Amino acid sequence: WIARKLKEIQDKVENQHKDTSKAIQKMKEEKNIFKRNQSELLEFKNSTEIFKTHLKVLSIDWTKQKK
């Protein structure tokens, strides 16, 4: 009886360990996705800032040419 109970407990602990390991792996994968998305958003922000700067320069040039 005790050996059976110990085996049940051991099985339960092993299953919990497997489930926890899977959950940790999934969280690591999601963290990497978030980091990648964050990098892409930062790159997009930088690109839009460069684009805005170019538009300002073109606008100034256009205004000068108009005069």
Side-chain angles (χ1 to χ4, degrees):
W1 178 85
I2 293 176
R4 186 170 36 99
K5 278 294 182 187
L6 286 173
K7 178 68 173 143
E8 288 175 10
I9 292 170
Q10 182 180 4
D11 290 344
K12 189 181 282 188
V13 168
E14 286 175 1
N15 287 335
Q16 287 176 345
H17 175 72
K18 287 177 187 176
D19 292 342
T20 303
S21 294
K22 286 178 187 176
I24 289 170
Q25 183 61 36
K26 185 173 172 82
M27 283 189 258
K28 285 179 179 179
E29 290 168 2
E30 289 175 353
K31 182 180 102 176
N32 289 334
I33 291 169
F34 287 135
K35 281 183 174 182
R36 191 168 43 249
N37 287 345
Q38 184 180 28
S39 296
E40 290 173 3
L41 283 172
L42 186 56
E43 186 178 331
F44 178 74
K45 180 184 174 194
N46 291 337
S47 296
T48 56
E49 290 300 318
I50 291 169
F51 183 69
K52 283 185 203 176
T53 303
H54 284 23
L55 281 178
K56 286 178 186 176
V57 169
L58 287 172
S59 176
I60 291 169
D61 286 348
W62 184 76
T63 305
K64 286 179 181 178
Q65 289 179 3
K66 233 175 115 177
K67 291 181 181 180

